[in-house]
Amino acid sequence: MPTNKAGMKHRSSVYYLVFIPGVVLLTVVAGWSLFWFFASRQTAAAVAKWMTHEAKAGRSWTCPDQKIRGFPFSVEVSCANLLFQGEFHDKTLTGTLRGFHATAPLLRNDNLLARLEPPFAAKTSDGTIDMTMQWDELYIELEGPPSAYERIAFAGTKVKVDGKAGPLDPMEGQFDEVHSSVSLSPGRHDNSYDFSFSFNDGSIPALNGLLATQLPIGVRFDGTISQAGIGRAETLADFLEKWRSANGHVDIGNARLTSGGIQFEAKGGLDLDDRHRPKGKLDAEFAGFDKAFRQLNIDPGLLAAGQVLSGLLGKGGNIPGRLNLPLTLSGGFLSVGPVRTPIQIPPLY
């Protein structure tokens, strides 16, 4: 009899050792599932809030067949055939995107990472803009509330753009890698944002033709823009006018273009004039631009004289054949050194 009691006591202990952790585990799972449910609804609400903010600014987004996934550690709001419609230069711009997937960490809904599925197509009501965009991978990251983003970034691979935009020649270009970020400048109180853009191993037929090169092109530029409240303007024209009226300024810390032996580097500042055209001056260095300068009607003799003058003033670069000349934007035209080129910059709005 004592033996039976000991056996029953042993089985009871084993039962509790298995049962109690199982109950705890089920409770945790049920609690986490409930928590994820409410958190996912908050993330969906954040996406809806962003769309509402966009709609108030005249940009309408429609997310058909919205789905919520990501359990257990993240939340993903997705939809197929995302639709966009808004005003652009007094025209109605309509855009479509095949797929949109916005993911947020479970405990944060002010940080969204969106994965976009190609293609993207955009067209204005009068047909002056008609563009398509393809890519292998493309991500956009948003940090902060829609009315005052603290950081916006995107990254893509095998990005290709085709189409037309206004009176410009047909646009075409592709890059193996594209990276960009705009973030609130630390320690400043003038609504300043630091920006960085880079395009690697690319081809832009118009630029390749100007530079007389078939080699891949790499572009990078970074700097700071002051008086820029991202997300606070209703339209691009409204943003630019508020920025100009507040004496907004763009400081370009470094702009760089390379293609084989062709190299360009510049730094300086840009503003908008009273006719809404870019103005400013960049201190630039050129190497391998002889053919490009000829296409811009710059006398090769002037290049030689400028090279000699640069050497005499001790401003020549370390690379043989490098030329120091300022780039100036004034009166709607681009000037290289003392020569005004036929490149005309139209008003931005």
Short mmCIF file of all heavy atoms in Angstrom, two decimals, residues 112-118 133-142 151-160 175-182 196-200:
data_model
loop_
_atom_site.label_atom_id
_atom_site.label_comp_id
_atom_site.label_asym_id
_atom_site.label_seq_id
_atom_site.Cartn_x
_atom_site.Cartn_y
_atom_site.Cartn_z
N LEU A 112 8.29 52.78 -40.07
CA LEU A 112 7.74 51.89 -41.08
C LEU A 112 8.78 51.60 -42.15
O LEU A 112 9.49 52.50 -42.63
CB LEU A 112 6.51 52.53 -41.75
CG LEU A 112 5.27 52.75 -40.88
CD1 LEU A 112 4.19 53.45 -41.69
CD2 LEU A 112 4.75 51.44 -40.32
N LEU A 113 8.88 50.34 -42.52
CA LEU A 113 9.74 49.91 -43.62
C LEU A 113 8.83 49.35 -44.70
O LEU A 113 8.13 48.35 -44.47
CB LEU A 113 10.74 48.86 -43.16
CG LEU A 113 11.66 48.30 -44.26
CD1 LEU A 113 12.56 49.39 -44.82
CD2 LEU A 113 12.49 47.13 -43.73
N ALA A 114 8.81 49.99 -45.86
CA ALA A 114 7.92 49.58 -46.94
C ALA A 114 8.71 48.90 -48.05
O ALA A 114 9.73 49.41 -48.50
CB ALA A 114 7.17 50.78 -47.50
N ARG A 115 8.24 47.73 -48.44
CA ARG A 115 8.81 47.03 -49.59
C ARG A 115 7.85 47.19 -50.76
O ARG A 115 6.66 46.90 -50.64
CB ARG A 115 9.02 45.54 -49.26
CG ARG A 115 9.53 44.72 -50.44
CD ARG A 115 9.90 43.31 -49.99
NE ARG A 115 8.76 42.62 -49.41
CZ ARG A 115 7.87 41.91 -50.13
NH1 ARG A 115 7.98 41.86 -51.46
NH2 ARG A 115 6.88 41.29 -49.53
N LEU A 116 8.37 47.66 -51.88
CA LEU A 116 7.54 47.96 -53.04
C LEU A 116 7.77 46.94 -54.14
O LEU A 116 8.91 46.55 -54.42
CB LEU A 116 7.85 49.36 -53.57
CG LEU A 116 7.87 50.50 -52.54
CD1 LEU A 116 8.15 51.82 -53.22
CD2 LEU A 116 6.58 50.55 -51.76
N GLU A 117 6.68 46.53 -54.78
CA GLU A 117 6.76 45.58 -55.88
C GLU A 117 6.55 46.32 -57.19
O GLU A 117 5.60 47.10 -57.33
CB GLU A 117 5.70 44.49 -55.73
CG GLU A 117 5.90 43.56 -54.55
CD GLU A 117 4.86 42.47 -54.48
OE1 GLU A 117 4.10 42.31 -55.47
OE2 GLU A 117 4.78 41.78 -53.46
N PRO A 118 7.43 46.09 -58.18
CA PRO A 118 7.29 46.78 -59.46
C PRO A 118 6.18 46.18 -60.30
O PRO A 118 5.71 45.07 -60.02
CB PRO A 118 8.66 46.54 -60.10
CG PRO A 118 9.09 45.20 -59.56
CD PRO A 118 8.57 45.15 -58.15
N MET A 133 8.68 52.76 -63.98
CA MET A 133 9.87 52.46 -63.20
C MET A 133 9.85 50.98 -62.84
O MET A 133 8.83 50.46 -62.39
CB MET A 133 9.89 53.34 -61.95
CG MET A 133 11.13 53.23 -61.10
SD MET A 133 11.07 54.47 -59.76
CE MET A 133 12.46 53.94 -58.76
N GLN A 134 10.99 50.33 -63.04
CA GLN A 134 11.15 48.90 -62.71
C GLN A 134 12.34 48.74 -61.76
O GLN A 134 13.23 49.59 -61.72
CB GLN A 134 11.40 48.09 -63.98
CG GLN A 134 10.24 48.06 -64.96
CD GLN A 134 9.23 46.97 -64.63
OE1 GLN A 134 9.39 46.24 -63.65
NE2 GLN A 134 8.19 46.85 -65.45
N TRP A 135 12.35 47.64 -61.02
CA TRP A 135 13.47 47.37 -60.11
C TRP A 135 13.41 45.91 -59.67
O TRP A 135 12.39 45.23 -59.84
CB TRP A 135 13.42 48.29 -58.89
CG TRP A 135 12.13 48.18 -58.11
CD1 TRP A 135 11.82 47.30 -57.13
CD2 TRP A 135 10.96 48.99 -58.29
NE1 TRP A 135 10.55 47.50 -56.66
CE2 TRP A 135 10.00 48.53 -57.35
CE3 TRP A 135 10.65 50.06 -59.12
CZ2 TRP A 135 8.74 49.12 -57.24
CZ3 TRP A 135 9.40 50.64 -59.02
CH2 TRP A 135 8.45 50.17 -58.09
N ASP A 136 14.53 45.45 -59.12
CA ASP A 136 14.55 44.13 -58.50
C ASP A 136 14.07 44.21 -57.05
O ASP A 136 13.22 43.46 -56.62
CB ASP A 136 15.96 43.53 -58.55
CG ASP A 136 16.28 42.91 -59.90
OD1 ASP A 136 15.40 42.93 -60.79
OD2 ASP A 136 17.41 42.41 -60.07
N GLU A 137 14.65 45.15 -56.29
CA GLU A 137 14.26 45.38 -54.91
C GLU A 137 14.20 46.88 -54.65
O GLU A 137 15.06 47.63 -55.13
CB GLU A 137 15.24 44.74 -53.93
CG GLU A 137 15.26 43.23 -53.93
CD GLU A 137 16.20 42.66 -52.87
OE1 GLU A 137 17.28 43.26 -52.68
OE2 GLU A 137 15.85 41.65 -52.24
N LEU A 138 13.20 47.32 -53.89
CA LEU A 138 13.09 48.73 -53.55
C LEU A 138 12.41 48.86 -52.19
O LEU A 138 11.32 48.31 -51.98
CB LEU A 138 12.28 49.49 -54.61
CG LEU A 138 12.19 51.01 -54.42
CD1 LEU A 138 13.58 51.64 -54.46
CD2 LEU A 138 11.30 51.65 -55.47
N TYR A 139 13.08 49.55 -51.27
CA TYR A 139 12.58 49.73 -49.91
C TYR A 139 12.56 51.21 -49.55
O TYR A 139 13.44 51.98 -49.95
CB TYR A 139 13.46 49.00 -48.89
CG TYR A 139 13.45 47.50 -49.02
CD1 TYR A 139 14.35 46.85 -49.86
CD2 TYR A 139 12.53 46.73 -48.31
CE1 TYR A 139 14.34 45.47 -49.99
CE2 TYR A 139 12.50 45.35 -48.42
CZ TYR A 139 13.41 44.73 -49.27
OH TYR A 139 13.40 43.36 -49.39
N ILE A 140 11.55 51.61 -48.79
CA ILE A 140 11.44 52.97 -48.27
C ILE A 140 11.24 52.88 -46.76
O ILE A 140 10.39 52.11 -46.28
CB ILE A 140 10.28 53.74 -48.91
CG1 ILE A 140 10.50 53.90 -50.41
CG2 ILE A 140 10.13 55.12 -48.26
CD1 ILE A 140 9.37 54.60 -51.13
N GLU A 141 12.00 53.67 -46.00
CA GLU A 141 11.89 53.68 -44.55
C GLU A 141 11.45 55.06 -44.08
O GLU A 141 12.00 56.09 -44.52
CB GLU A 141 13.22 53.31 -43.89
CG GLU A 141 13.13 53.20 -42.38
CD GLU A 141 14.44 52.78 -41.75
OE1 GLU A 141 15.47 52.79 -42.44
OE2 GLU A 141 14.43 52.44 -40.55
N LEU A 142 10.45 55.10 -43.19
CA LEU A 142 9.94 56.35 -42.64
C LEU A 142 10.05 56.31 -41.12
O LEU A 142 9.60 55.35 -40.49
CB LEU A 142 8.47 56.56 -43.03
CG LEU A 142 8.14 56.55 -44.53
CD1 LEU A 142 6.63 56.63 -44.73
CD2 LEU A 142 8.83 57.70 -45.25
N ARG A 151 13.28 61.06 -40.43
CA ARG A 151 14.18 60.42 -41.39
C ARG A 151 13.36 59.73 -42.47
O ARG A 151 12.36 59.09 -42.19
CB ARG A 151 15.08 59.39 -40.69
CG ARG A 151 16.10 58.73 -41.62
CD ARG A 151 17.05 57.85 -40.82
NE ARG A 151 18.05 57.23 -41.67
CZ ARG A 151 17.90 56.04 -42.25
NH1 ARG A 151 16.77 55.34 -42.05
NH2 ARG A 151 18.83 55.52 -43.01
N ILE A 152 13.81 59.90 -43.71
CA ILE A 152 13.23 59.20 -44.86
C ILE A 152 14.39 58.61 -45.64
O ILE A 152 15.37 59.30 -45.92
CB ILE A 152 12.42 60.14 -45.77
CG1 ILE A 152 11.27 60.78 -44.99
CG2 ILE A 152 11.88 59.40 -46.98
CD1 ILE A 152 10.50 61.81 -45.80
N ALA A 153 14.30 57.33 -45.97
CA ALA A 153 15.40 56.69 -46.71
C ALA A 153 14.82 55.69 -47.69
O ALA A 153 13.73 55.13 -47.48
CB ALA A 153 16.36 55.98 -45.74
N PHE A 154 15.53 55.50 -48.80
CA PHE A 154 15.14 54.42 -49.70
C PHE A 154 16.38 53.80 -50.31
O PHE A 154 17.44 54.42 -50.41
CB PHE A 154 14.16 54.90 -50.79
CG PHE A 154 14.76 55.78 -51.85
CD1 PHE A 154 15.41 55.23 -52.95
CD2 PHE A 154 14.65 57.16 -51.78
CE1 PHE A 154 15.95 56.03 -53.94
CE2 PHE A 154 15.20 57.97 -52.76
CZ PHE A 154 15.84 57.42 -53.85
N ALA A 155 16.23 52.54 -50.69
CA ALA A 155 17.34 51.79 -51.28
C ALA A 155 16.76 50.85 -52.32
O ALA A 155 15.70 50.24 -52.11
CB ALA A 155 18.11 51.02 -50.22
N GLY A 156 17.45 50.73 -53.44
CA GLY A 156 16.95 49.87 -54.51
C GLY A 156 18.09 49.26 -55.31
O GLY A 156 19.22 49.73 -55.28
N THR A 157 17.76 48.17 -56.01
CA THR A 157 18.73 47.52 -56.90
C THR A 157 18.09 47.35 -58.28
O THR A 157 16.88 47.15 -58.40
CB THR A 157 19.14 46.14 -56.35
OG1 THR A 157 17.98 45.30 -56.22
CG2 THR A 157 19.82 46.28 -54.99
N LYS A 158 18.94 47.43 -59.30
CA LYS A 158 18.51 47.27 -60.69
C LYS A 158 17.33 48.18 -60.99
O LYS A 158 16.29 47.76 -61.51
CB LYS A 158 18.14 45.81 -60.97
CG LYS A 158 19.25 44.81 -60.69
CD LYS A 158 20.43 44.97 -61.62
CE LYS A 158 21.49 43.91 -61.36
NZ LYS A 158 22.69 44.08 -62.22
N VAL A 159 17.49 49.47 -60.68
CA VAL A 159 16.41 50.44 -60.87
C VAL A 159 16.50 51.01 -62.29
O VAL A 159 17.56 51.45 -62.73
CB VAL A 159 16.52 51.58 -59.84
CG1 VAL A 159 15.43 52.61 -60.07
CG2 VAL A 159 16.43 51.02 -58.42
N LYS A 160 15.37 51.02 -62.98
CA LYS A 160 15.32 51.50 -64.36
C LYS A 160 14.12 52.42 -64.53
O LYS A 160 13.01 52.10 -64.10
CB LYS A 160 15.22 50.33 -65.33
CG LYS A 160 15.23 50.75 -66.80
CD LYS A 160 15.18 49.54 -67.73
CE LYS A 160 15.22 49.97 -69.19
NZ LYS A 160 15.15 48.79 -70.11
N PHE A 175 20.34 52.06 -62.88
CA PHE A 175 21.46 51.95 -61.96
C PHE A 175 21.36 50.61 -61.24
O PHE A 175 20.27 50.16 -60.88
CB PHE A 175 21.45 53.09 -60.94
CG PHE A 175 21.88 54.42 -61.51
CD1 PHE A 175 20.96 55.26 -62.09
CD2 PHE A 175 23.20 54.80 -61.47
CE1 PHE A 175 21.35 56.48 -62.63
CE2 PHE A 175 23.61 56.01 -62.00
CZ PHE A 175 22.68 56.86 -62.58
N ASP A 176 22.52 50.01 -61.01
CA ASP A 176 22.54 48.75 -60.28
C ASP A 176 22.15 48.95 -58.82
O ASP A 176 21.49 48.11 -58.22
CB ASP A 176 23.93 48.10 -60.35
CG ASP A 176 24.17 47.43 -61.69
OD1 ASP A 176 23.23 47.37 -62.51
OD2 ASP A 176 25.30 46.96 -61.92
N GLU A 177 22.58 50.08 -58.24
CA GLU A 177 22.27 50.36 -56.84
C GLU A 177 21.88 51.83 -56.67
O GLU A 177 22.51 52.71 -57.26
CB GLU A 177 23.46 50.07 -55.93
CG GLU A 177 23.83 48.60 -55.82
CD GLU A 177 24.98 48.37 -54.86
OE1 GLU A 177 25.67 49.36 -54.50
OE2 GLU A 177 25.19 47.22 -54.47
N VAL A 178 20.88 52.07 -55.86
CA VAL A 178 20.42 53.42 -55.55
C VAL A 178 20.20 53.51 -54.05
O VAL A 178 19.53 52.66 -53.45
CB VAL A 178 19.11 53.77 -56.28
CG1 VAL A 178 18.63 55.15 -55.87
CG2 VAL A 178 19.29 53.70 -57.79
N HIS A 179 20.80 54.52 -53.42
CA HIS A 179 20.64 54.74 -51.97
C HIS A 179 20.36 56.22 -51.73
O HIS A 179 20.95 57.09 -52.38
CB HIS A 179 21.89 54.34 -51.20
CG HIS A 179 22.25 52.89 -51.33
ND1 HIS A 179 21.69 51.91 -50.55
CD2 HIS A 179 23.11 52.26 -52.17
CE1 HIS A 179 22.18 50.74 -50.88
NE2 HIS A 179 23.05 50.92 -51.87
N SER A 180 19.49 56.49 -50.79
CA SER A 180 19.15 57.87 -50.48
C SER A 180 18.65 57.97 -49.05
O SER A 180 18.00 57.05 -48.54
CB SER A 180 18.08 58.38 -51.44
OG SER A 180 17.61 59.65 -51.03
N SER A 181 18.96 59.08 -48.40
CA SER A 181 18.43 59.32 -47.06
C SER A 181 18.34 60.82 -46.80
O SER A 181 19.16 61.60 -47.29
CB SER A 181 19.30 58.66 -45.99
OG SER A 181 20.57 59.29 -45.91
N VAL A 182 17.32 61.20 -46.06
CA VAL A 182 17.13 62.58 -45.59
C VAL A 182 16.77 62.48 -44.13
O VAL A 182 15.78 61.83 -43.76
CB VAL A 182 16.01 63.31 -46.37
CG1 VAL A 182 15.87 64.74 -45.87
CG2 VAL A 182 16.29 63.30 -47.86
N SER A 196 21.70 62.59 -48.40
CA SER A 196 22.74 61.85 -49.10
C SER A 196 22.08 61.01 -50.18
O SER A 196 21.09 60.32 -49.92
CB SER A 196 23.51 60.95 -48.13
OG SER A 196 24.47 60.16 -48.83
N PHE A 197 22.60 61.10 -51.41
CA PHE A 197 22.08 60.33 -52.53
C PHE A 197 23.27 59.70 -53.27
O PHE A 197 24.29 60.35 -53.48
CB PHE A 197 21.31 61.22 -53.51
CG PHE A 197 20.11 61.90 -52.90
CD1 PHE A 197 20.23 63.14 -52.29
CD2 PHE A 197 18.86 61.30 -52.93
CE1 PHE A 197 19.15 63.78 -51.72
CE2 PHE A 197 17.76 61.93 -52.37
CZ PHE A 197 17.90 63.17 -51.76
N SER A 198 23.10 58.46 -53.67
CA SER A 198 24.14 57.80 -54.46
C SER A 198 23.51 56.86 -55.47
O SER A 198 22.51 56.20 -55.18
CB SER A 198 25.11 57.03 -53.56
OG SER A 198 24.46 55.96 -52.90
N PHE A 199 24.10 56.84 -56.67
CA PHE A 199 23.67 55.98 -57.77
C PHE A 199 24.92 55.31 -58.31
O PHE A 199 25.84 56.01 -58.76
CB PHE A 199 22.98 56.80 -58.86
CG PHE A 199 21.91 57.73 -58.37
CD1 PHE A 199 22.23 59.02 -57.95
CD2 PHE A 199 20.59 57.32 -58.31
CE1 PHE A 199 21.25 59.89 -57.48
CE2 PHE A 199 19.61 58.18 -57.84
CZ PHE A 199 19.93 59.47 -57.43
N ASN A 200 24.96 54.00 -58.27
CA ASN A 200 26.18 53.28 -58.62
C ASN A 200 25.98 52.42 -59.86
O ASN A 200 24.92 51.83 -60.06
CB ASN A 200 26.64 52.41 -57.45
CG ASN A 200 26.89 53.21 -56.19
OD1 ASN A 200 27.44 54.31 -56.25
ND2 ASN A 200 26.48 52.69 -55.05
#
